[in-house]
Amino acid sequence: MIELVCGFDEAGRGPLAGPVTAGCVILPKDFPTEILNDSKKLSEKKRIAAEKVIMERACWGLGVVDHETIDRMNILRASMYAMSIAYQMMRTKLPDWLRAQNLDFDENSLDSQISAITDGTSCPDVPCRVRCEPKADGKYCEVMAASIIAKVERDKMMVEFGKLYPEYGYAKHKGYPTAAHIAVCREIGMSPIQRKTFKF
């Protein structure tokens, strides 16, 4: 029976606006792990280049939870929910991906063959074994890959929101609580994607 390692990470827990995203990734044995790192330690150019390789060669999923759901659930629960969405997306792709890797597996017990690691101190509700570990995004390649997907995809979304609401500068600060972001919210009011339960 095969043993698969799955990594989880999120992006966007700290911002005052926009969604929280999560990545879920299983890497092939021959993946070029030298291109990976904690997404925060990679330049934007290297993150984008790494994400392209991850999406081409790994089995991955992305979860997105919007600002309204974050306000309703709270950010921790929303982050875990995004991970569970990402897992389901990855899991849907997994049988075909394993066949492409020429790996034998039992489709009926596939979840039991997955061992997952998530960055942080909380674990998502997913149907496989999962453990949480602080700073996992700097130690495990699968978690690094998940952090890259989550970060790159959220940044893309915030750039698009920046086009819709240019006065808020989302393309630059991605919704994080910079002085400029807080100042514009206080001056002209909150944008339509603001997390209303977050303190300014």
Side-chain angles (χ1 to χ4, degrees):
M1 190 167 72
I2 58 170
E3 280 289 328
L4 300 166
V5 178
C6 170
F8 287 104
D9 201 7
E10 52 71 31
R13 276 181 68 168
L16 305 175
V20 62
T21 59
C24 175
V25 179
I26 294 175
L27 297 174
K29 297 280 188 197
D30 61 348
F31 191 85
T33 55
E34 66 276 5
I35 69 172
L36 301 175
N37 202 339
D38 173 358
S39 63
K40 296 183 290 293
K41 296 180 179 178
L42 293 172
S43 67
E44 182 180 21
K45 184 177 179 181
K46 287 185 176 180
R47 278 197 303 268
I48 292 169
E51 188 203 35
K52 186 173 186 291
V53 180
I54 294 163
M55 288 186 164
E56 286 173 352
R57 300 185 57 179
C59 189
W60 59 274
L62 175 73
V64 181
V65 175
D66 67 22
H67 62 287
E68 292 177 338
T69 307
I70 292 168
D71 282 340
R72 192 166 63 247
M73 299 179 81
N74 81 42
I75 186 59
L76 176 58
R77 288 175 60 204
S79 297
M80 296 302 105
Y81 181 40
M83 289 183 186
S84 69
I85 295 169
Y87 182 87
Q88 291 304 321
M89 181 178 177
M90 179 281 296
R91 181 64 178 78
T92 300
K93 300 176 179 181
L94 188 54
D96 287 342
W97 184 81
L98 290 170
R99 291 185 191 102
Q101 302 289 312
N102 294 314
L103 293 171
D104 293 323
F105 62 97
D106 178 359
E107 191 157 357
N108 294 321
S109 63
L110 197 46
D111 291 302
S112 68
Q113 298 168 62
I114 300 172
S115 178
I117 308 164
T118 181
D119 182 54
T121 56
S122 299
C123 293
D125 182 14
V126 289
C128 69
R129 288 165 292 153
V130 58
R131 64 186 173 88
C132 45
E133 185 176 327
K135 303 191 186 302
D137 53 358
K139 294 167 66 175
Y140 303 100
C141 291
E142 292 81 6
V143 182
M144 293 176 193
S147 80
I148 289 167
I149 284 181
K151 171 69 172 162
V152 171
E153 292 306 306
R154 186 179 186 280
D155 282 357
K156 286 180 189 175
M157 293 175 206
M158 295 309 295
V159 168
E160 291 305 308
F161 282 126
K163 294 174 185 175
L164 287 174
Y165 315 113
E167 62 272 33
Y168 289 91
Y170 288 135
K172 185 175 181 181
H173 55 65
K174 309 301 190 290
Y176 281 87
T178 63
H181 185 194
I182 292 168
V184 73
C185 287
R186 287 176 175 167
E187 183 180 340
I188 66 173
M190 294 192 288
S191 79
I193 61 163
Q194 220 73 41
R195 300 175 184 177
K196 296 181 174 63
T197 53
F198 281 47
K199 292 182 180 179
F200 288 79

